[in-house]
Amino acid sequence: MQLYDDKLSGNHGCQIHPKLRDIFRSTDCCFQEKPKPEANEKVDVRRYEVLCETTRVEGFDLGIFVAGKWHFAKSSSTLHFNILMAILPVSICKIIIYMLVFIESQVDGQNIDQELNVTFISDAITKGAVCLDGTPGGYFFNKGFGDGINSWMIYLPGGAWCNSTEACLKRSQLSPLGSNKNVPAKGLVTFKSQNKTANPDFYNWNFVEILYCDGASFMADVEAVNPQTKLHLRGRRIFTSVIEELMSTQGMSNAENALLVGNSAGGLATILNCDRFNSFLPGACRVKCISDSGFFIRAEHLRGAQDDTTYYFRDIVLFHELAQFLPELCTQRLAPELCFFPENAVNDIQTPLFLLNSDFNQYQISKRVAPNLPNEVGWYNCTTGFSEISSCTENQQHIIKDFQTTFLKTLEKLDDNPSRGLFIVSCYAHDFIYKRPYWQGTPTLQNKSIQQAVGDWYFERSSVLLIDTQNIYPINCNVTV
């Protein structure tokens, strides 16, 4: 394909195609004349240098055709472009530029968001590693490269829970929350991305997302199947089977760095499975866990309102028969349903844990909290999002504020573990890491974005114990940057 354009050629009439122009402009490139010709030049030419000061353009070879000869400049993961362009006088100046795109598995920082197709667990039916409806458990896998070949990120997505036969039957008809019948491809964005700019610390790691289709935060393993409902409660077995398969077939047994990360119900799963995950990798140098929006609290003393999370969690624990799988040090002193609350389990976790959360957790406030007064109308509508909060009554706004106070008091009860990380914001939000604006944009604490805080904590570049103490009312962090 011939690539022509005259927008970057100044007064010299030489032509460069818009596609190349867009790349150069997006990478802070400019054209700069070299005033003197080389001493050994045999033709009268003007030389220009394309200077790209700050950015890589990975995976490209740029070919410049001048005076019957091709000149190539190979891009690199660590080198900036320096492309010398020999430009003939205006009367004969026509430059044909070809861009040859090479997609290589080892290229640093592939900048195209990829999509992954599901991999079903081998012999999942035989192993019993199945979803609520009996379909095979599955996962998405993207192989690492370069110096990330022995580093692993395992992601547990959220999706709430089911706490009864009726609720789990309904959930079993939904893909992927309770069934893997029709699993769409999954994109790689934010913390999953192979774009080094978007994800500088983990872009070349092995990435695995385990499909959440059990409704109990990957914790249940009930052998018996009710012949009438045919519900399978096997999330724990799915988690185990995926890890074992990765270790035996994909090289995870050689892991040097590993990170278990989850959001919402998956964030709770990350907390409850953190030490167990570590136990699979005794030879790894660094194993840590990140819970995003999984620190659900037992807000039982809200003024003028009640939080039904305790009853809801009790039903989940009982229905899925989780008592034997909850942290033992916790169940030795507390009722099993109370050990489903992170506040009662975190202190017993030995593996380094990072808590990313809002103290105005939108999900818990809008779904689990309710005013005491039966005639208190409009609560659900006014708590669905930040823009609706202004329509809450004064009493309802007091309840929201009281939730923050209760959350921070709950957090204060945790012990001072030097390996723990905290990033507690006051956004009226739930889930952060997989949303583009939140990952590298707002919110920030002490000028750190979530992406920077996570990387600093994991690689121990600095401690991260950040709590927003400035905002006593919810703030809007849903701003695209």
Side-chain angles (χ1 to χ4, degrees):
M1 72 183 160
Q2 293 187 351
L3 308 180
Y4 296 103
D5 186 50
D6 62 357
K7 298 297 177 63
L8 285 180
S9 58
N11 296 321
H12 305 291
C14 297
Q15 298 175 316
I16 297 176
H17 190 271
K19 284 190 176 180
L20 188 59
R21 184 183 72 240
D22 291 343
I23 290 174
F24 284 158
R25 285 182 176 171
S26 68
T27 56
D28 299 324
C29 300
C30 62
F31 282 78
Q32 184 171 337
E33 184 173 359
K34 300 188 78 171
K36 293 182 180 180
E38 299 294 333
N40 61 353
E41 284 182 355
K42 297 182 180 180
V43 294
D44 183 16
V45 301
R46 296 173 181 170
R47 285 190 175 272
Y48 285 79
E49 188 174 20
V50 180
L51 302 175
C52 302
E53 296 293 340
T54 60
T55 311
R56 302 164 309 280
V57 182
E58 293 85 5
F60 292 104
D61 275 355
L62 295 184
I64 304 167
F65 186 80
V66 180
K69 185 177 180 181
W70 281 101
H71 303 269
F72 286 97
K74 177 71 175 177
S75 70
S76 163
S77 61
T78 56
L79 298 177
H80 304 308
F81 269 111
N82 279 291
I83 306 172
L84 290 178
M85 301 178 67
I87 302 181
L88 297 177
V90 176
S91 60
I92 59 172
C93 176
K94 279 192 178 180
I95 299 178
I96 303 174
I97 299 177
Y98 279 82
M99 195 182 306
L100 307 176
V101 181
F102 296 93
I103 301 176
E104 304 170 4
S105 62
Q106 300 299 312
V107 171
D108 169 30
Q110 299 174 31
N111 284 321
I112 300 173
D113 287 341
Q114 297 184 2
E115 284 197 339
L116 305 178
N117 293 316
V118 65
T119 299
F120 293 107
I121 297 168
S122 179
D123 298 321
I125 304 298
T126 303
K127 296 173 182 175
V130 295
C131 302
L132 287 171
D133 69 340
T135 52
Y139 58 96
F140 297 104
F141 172 60
N142 196 50
K143 193 165 184 63
F145 58 94
D147 61 8
I149 195 68
N150 289 321
S151 296
W152 289 80
M153 179 184 290
I154 309 297
Y155 170 53
L156 306 180
W161 308 266
C162 59
N163 63 342
S164 66
T165 298
E166 181 182 6
C168 288
L169 278 173
K170 183 176 181 180
R171 187 183 180 99
S172 70
Q173 299 169 13
L174 302 174
S175 178
L177 293 178
S179 172
N180 280 343
K181 286 181 180 176
N182 299 294
V183 182
K186 178 73 67 171
L188 294 176
V189 296
T190 62
F191 73 99
K192 316 172 190 180
S193 176
Q194 285 192 310
N195 181 331
K196 189 174 181 180
T197 301
N199 188 25
D201 290 307
F202 309 107
Y203 72 97
N204 61 353
W205 283 31
N206 296 279
F207 173 78
V208 180
E209 177 175 336
I210 305 179
L211 289 169
Y212 178 41
C213 61
D214 67 283
S217 288
F218 297 94
M219 290 297 291
D221 193 352
V222 179
E223 184 65 36
V225 178
N226 186 310
Q228 294 180 327
T229 65
K230 297 182 180 178
L231 285 172
H232 298 73
L233 310 178
R234 304 278 179 76
R236 180 182 176 90
R237 203 176 301 190
I238 290 174
F239 179 85
T240 302
S241 297
V242 171
I243 299 300
E244 290 177 345
E245 184 163 305
L246 294 170
M247 294 183 70
S248 64
T249 66
Q250 298 295 344
M252 190 176 172
S253 57
N254 299 318
E256 298 170 359
N257 298 300
L259 180 58
L260 182 66
V261 55
N263 65 280
S264 192
L268 175 58
T270 295
I271 294 171
L272 298 176
N273 285 287
C274 187
D275 281 343
R276 184 163 169 259
F277 175 66
N278 196 354
S279 71
F280 283 106
L281 302 167
C285 299
R286 184 186 284 118
V287 180
K288 299 187 179 185
C289 305
I290 298 174
S291 171
D292 169 17
S293 302
F295 196 84
F296 299 95
I297 63 170
R298 191 183 179 204
E300 58 181 348
H301 298 303
L302 297 177
R303 292 171 294 179
Q306 57 184 351
D307 182 341
D308 74 352
T309 307
T310 299
Y311 307 104
Y312 186 51
F313 278 6
R314 179 197 61 192
D315 293 344
I316 294 168
V317 169
L318 290 174
F319 182 79
H320 292 270
E321 302 180 26
L322 301 185
Q324 62 180 312
F325 302 121
L326 293 167
E328 186 176 356
L329 290 175
C330 181
T331 56
Q332 288 175 352
R333 65 180 190 271
L334 295 172
E337 62 267 23
L338 298 182
C339 296
F340 207 56
F341 281 95
E343 63 198 72
N344 296 321
V346 164
N347 284 345
D348 296 325
I349 295 173
Q350 302 300 307
T351 307
L353 174 66
F354 187 96
L355 298 175
L356 165 62
N357 228 93
S358 171
D359 51 20
F360 289 106
N361 187 328
Q362 180 184 358
Y363 170 83
Q364 191 167 358
I365 290 173
S366 64
K367 302 294 186 183
R368 307 259 61 96
V369 173
N372 288 333
L373 297 177
N375 61 345
E376 189 77 60
V377 296
W379 172 256
Y380 176 77
N381 289 335
C382 86
T383 57
T384 56
F386 177 81
S387 60
E388 287 76 28
I389 292 178
S390 60
S391 66
C392 289
T393 66
E394 183 177 353
N395 179 58
Q396 291 167 345
Q397 294 193 23
H398 280 308
I399 293 171
I400 294 172
K401 175 64 182 71
D402 201 31
F403 182 90
Q404 182 201 40
T405 302
T406 304
F407 183 96
L408 293 175
K409 286 182 178 179
T410 302
L411 204 64
E412 288 175 359
K413 295 177 183 177
L414 301 182
D415 60 12
D416 294 325
N417 187 327
S419 71
R420 188 176 301 136
L422 293 174
F423 197 92
I424 308 300
V425 298
S426 296
C427 309
Y428 191 68
H430 182 72
D431 296 341
F432 294 94
I433 54 173
Y434 68 83
K435 299 176 180 177
R436 290 180 192 265
Y438 294 151
W439 176 241
Q440 286 188 309
T442 55
T444 60
L445 294 176
Q446 293 186 13
N447 295 319
K448 280 184 189 284
S449 66
I450 290 171
Q451 173 259 305
Q452 292 168 328
V454 165
D456 286 350
W457 170 79
Y458 183 84
F459 290 104
E460 296 158 18
R461 295 189 290 252
S462 66
S463 63
V464 180
L465 296 170
L466 301 175
I467 301 175
D468 182 355
T469 58
Q470 303 299 312
N471 293 289
I472 61 174
Y473 295 102
I475 61 174
N476 182 19
C477 296
N478 192 23
V479 178
T480 302
V481 296

